[in-house]
Amino acid sequence: MLDLKAVASDFESYERRLARRGEGAVAALAPVKPLAARRRELNVLLEKQKKEQADANAKMRTLAKGDQAAMDAARAALRALGDVAKKTEAELGEVEAEIERLLLLVPNPPHDSVPTGKDEHDNVVVRTWGEKKAYDFKPRPHWEVGEALGILEWQQAAKLSGSRFTILKGAAAKLERAIISFFADVHTSRGYLEILPPYLVTGETMTGTGQLPKFEEDLFKTTNTPPMYLIPTAEVPVTNMHRDEIFEADALPVSYCAFSPCFRAEAGSAGRDTRGIMRQHQFHKVELVKFAKADESYDQHEKMVDDAAEVLRRLGLHHRISLLCTGDMGFASAKTYDIEVWCPGQEAYREISSVSNCEDFQARRIRVRYRGEGGKPRLAHTLNGSGVAVGRTIVAILEQYQQADGSVIVPEPLRPYMGGLERITAQKFPRGVER
């Protein structure tokens, strides 16, 4: 969330910065302008009214003690001034509460280094790792590879849960567990503390990281009152762990990694990626979260991108890193890099991780701070990124490591987690006849 006082005192500056995100961001901020002007008026008026109260109080002290009529009149006048000031204070509180409500719907202004653009076509590739593999056959998309191997099942999943769910069988289920353990081991070896967070959280927790109120339609929630929400990413509970806390300066940065299932209604993506396991209502991810000092967060951002990409380098998966333009960034982010893995069966790079610096946008909501110069508390910066999406790693492995005979080579770092399995071949599983 943006700083109410900063926005109210320099509305035009925030309007210019948000304009780089597009008309929607400016429109979200627009209702704040008249309220910010009214807030300034009320603050000036309240200051004047309090001065009048102080003057009246001082005048009353000069009255002769025996002049009861004058004293009564002075007290009545002072009470009247107090009543007027209370009404002004009440209106000011209402205006500030409405500004804060509206600011919950306003995205984070982009960092100056973020390129201006409309959508993913305006993103900038900053570096590439590895080379596209050459095949002496036409590579197939992962859904064809997985179905032919018998390890990805959609019909039974649809019978259980509907669309956008998948059952992983045999080697695919084992591969999923192997990837999760491998990712966690790599990140903890690089200084991240492993966390296993709750998967159900409160509305306050969702608000703290920006999922509410803006994106409620994309969330799954329980029917009790108040509802609990299934997490869309471990970023939500892990970032909120330090709500209302103050770090000592030398404690930062704090780095966490957390495996969790993720649940997303995908309300805004109807018709996209309906085949395969690219976009599911339920998937697994290993998330990276950092808390950093304001003057160190962009160095930590670059490090987090490298940490996320490290697991792909070790798996030998060709990928590239793109700096997102203003029109393609997430709501809470000030700057985001996407890591995009090459999928030869789809002839496309597909996002496998987004790594974002949210600056103090989330920290202001959850009031997480650190002691800055002179011990004065200041807002921390929060960072998060996938380290990385497990299902999409399976996609990349099935497509990049597929062989002409339909089998799939298991990347060497995963073999110890899979009992030494080197190659996934076609498997048959029990299956009855539909009646």
Side-chain angles (χ1 to χ4, degrees):
M1 186 174 73
L2 304 182
D3 181 15
L4 183 156
K5 292 182 179 179
V7 172
S9 63
D10 191 5
F11 183 87
E12 287 71 21
S13 172
Y14 281 89
E15 192 174 43
R16 285 195 301 272
R17 293 167 64 194
L18 285 167
R20 296 180 61 215
R21 273 186 173 266
E23 295 179 0
V26 177
L29 184 65
V32 175
K33 188 170 187 176
L35 291 171
R38 182 56 180 162
R39 179 180 178 274
R40 285 193 296 272
E41 292 172 356
L42 290 169
N43 273 318
V44 171
L45 180 59
L46 185 59
E47 186 176 343
K48 177 185 175 184
Q49 291 169 346
K50 288 186 174 181
K51 184 178 184 305
E52 289 173 348
Q53 283 181 282
D55 290 344
N57 198 38
K59 183 178 179 181
M60 190 170 65
R61 289 196 296 270
T62 67
L63 295 175
K65 291 184 179 180
D67 192 346
Q68 190 62 43
M71 289 292 288
D72 290 345
R75 287 194 185 98
L78 190 58
R79 281 196 299 271
L81 288 170
D83 290 342
V84 172
K86 285 179 181 178
K87 288 182 180 179
T88 302
E89 283 183 324
E91 184 182 353
L92 178 61
E94 291 172 358
V95 168
E96 289 186 336
E98 180 62 7
I99 291 175
E100 288 199 4
R101 185 191 71 79
L102 291 169
L103 288 178
L104 289 175
L105 303 172
V106 179
N108 203 356
H111 188 265
D112 289 343
S113 63
V114 174
T116 301
K118 286 187 176 182
D119 53 34
E120 61 187 25
H121 300 100
D122 296 319
N123 296 340
V124 178
V125 177
V126 294
R127 59 184 176 275
T128 300
W129 185 90
E131 302 290 338
K132 294 179 181 178
K133 293 181 180 179
Y135 300 89
D136 56 6
F137 60 94
K138 182 174 175 56
R140 293 182 294 171
H142 69 277
W143 55 86
E144 292 184 9
V145 175
E147 193 167 40
L149 291 172
I151 59 176
L152 298 181
E153 169 65 60
W154 290 281
Q155 289 182 346
Q156 289 177 328
K159 181 165 57 177
L160 300 176
S161 307
S163 62
R164 294 192 186 274
F165 289 92
T166 305
I167 294 174
L168 277 63
K169 294 185 175 182
K174 200 166 189 175
L175 182 61
E176 181 106 355
R177 284 192 295 115
I179 291 169
I180 292 165
S181 296
F182 170 69
F183 285 176
D185 287 349
V186 171
H187 294 313
T188 54
S189 74
R190 291 168 73 89
Y192 289 82
L193 175 64
E194 187 171 1
I195 300 292
L196 190 63
Y199 306 150
L200 279 168
V201 297
T202 64
E204 181 183 8
T205 299
M206 283 291 192
T207 301
T209 44
Q211 278 72 29
L212 290 177
K214 179 74 172 175
F215 301 107
E216 183 153 13
E217 68 171 3
D218 290 319
L219 303 174
F220 288 109
K221 63 182 179 181
T222 64
T223 57
N224 55 302
T225 304
M228 299 283 283
Y229 292 83
L230 286 163
I231 61 171
T233 165
E235 168 205 342
V236 175
V238 175
T239 303
N240 275 274
M241 279 169 45
H242 293 293
R243 188 168 61 212
D244 293 315
E245 293 182 8
I246 301 178
F247 288 102
E248 294 301 322
D250 59 2
L252 298 180
V254 171
S255 303
Y256 294 119
C257 70
F259 156 75
S260 78
C262 304
F263 304 92
R264 300 185 184 180
E266 297 288 359
S269 60
R272 293 181 61 190
D273 295 318
T274 55
R275 302 189 70 181
I277 59 175
M278 286 297 299
R279 195 177 296 274
Q280 302 274 276
H281 288 314
Q282 172 190 307
F283 61 95
H284 290 144
K285 185 153 64 82
V286 175
E287 184 75 358
L288 305 179
V289 172
K290 280 180 182 281
F291 297 85
K293 298 177 186 177
D295 59 353
E296 296 178 356
S297 69
Y298 278 96
D299 288 338
Q300 290 298 320
H301 190 205
E302 297 296 327
K303 183 180 184 305
M304 183 181 274
V305 174
D306 186 68
D307 290 334
E310 173 66 10
V311 296
L312 300 180
R313 293 194 292 264
R314 295 195 189 189
L315 292 176
L317 293 171
H318 169 55
H319 62 275
R320 69 185 187 187
I321 297 173
S322 295
L323 175 59
L324 300 196
C325 72
T326 54
D328 199 30
M329 288 167 48
F331 177 79
S333 174
K335 184 176 182 178
T336 297
Y337 291 100
D338 268 8
I339 303 175
E340 301 163 328
V341 70
W342 174 243
C343 295
Q346 301 171 61
E347 298 185 338
Y349 286 96
R350 305 304 303 269
E351 179 222 323
I352 197 168
S353 171
S354 284
V355 184
S356 300
N357 186 349
C358 299
E359 296 186 353
D360 61 12
F361 188 81
Q362 293 176 328
R364 181 170 288 104
R365 293 183 180 217
I366 61 177
R367 301 166 298 281
V368 59
R369 295 159 290 170
Y370 67 97
R371 299 199 183 278
E373 189 174 343
K376 183 179 180 181
R378 65 175 300 180
L379 291 170
H381 282 194
T382 63
L383 303 91
N384 63 79
S386 305
V388 294
V390 178
R392 294 189 178 195
T393 304
I394 289 180
V395 168
I397 289 172
L398 292 182
E399 295 203 16
Q400 288 199 31
Y401 280 96
Q402 62 180 293
Q403 305 298 302
D405 63 1
S407 66
V408 174
I409 300 297
V410 176
E412 287 190 19
L414 296 178
R415 294 174 188 175
Y417 297 91
M418 298 187 68
L421 183 67
E422 297 181 1
R423 184 187 295 260
I424 299 172
T425 55
Q427 298 177 269
K428 289 186 179 181
F429 300 96
R431 190 71 177 261
V433 178
E434 293 285 351
R435 300 183 63 179

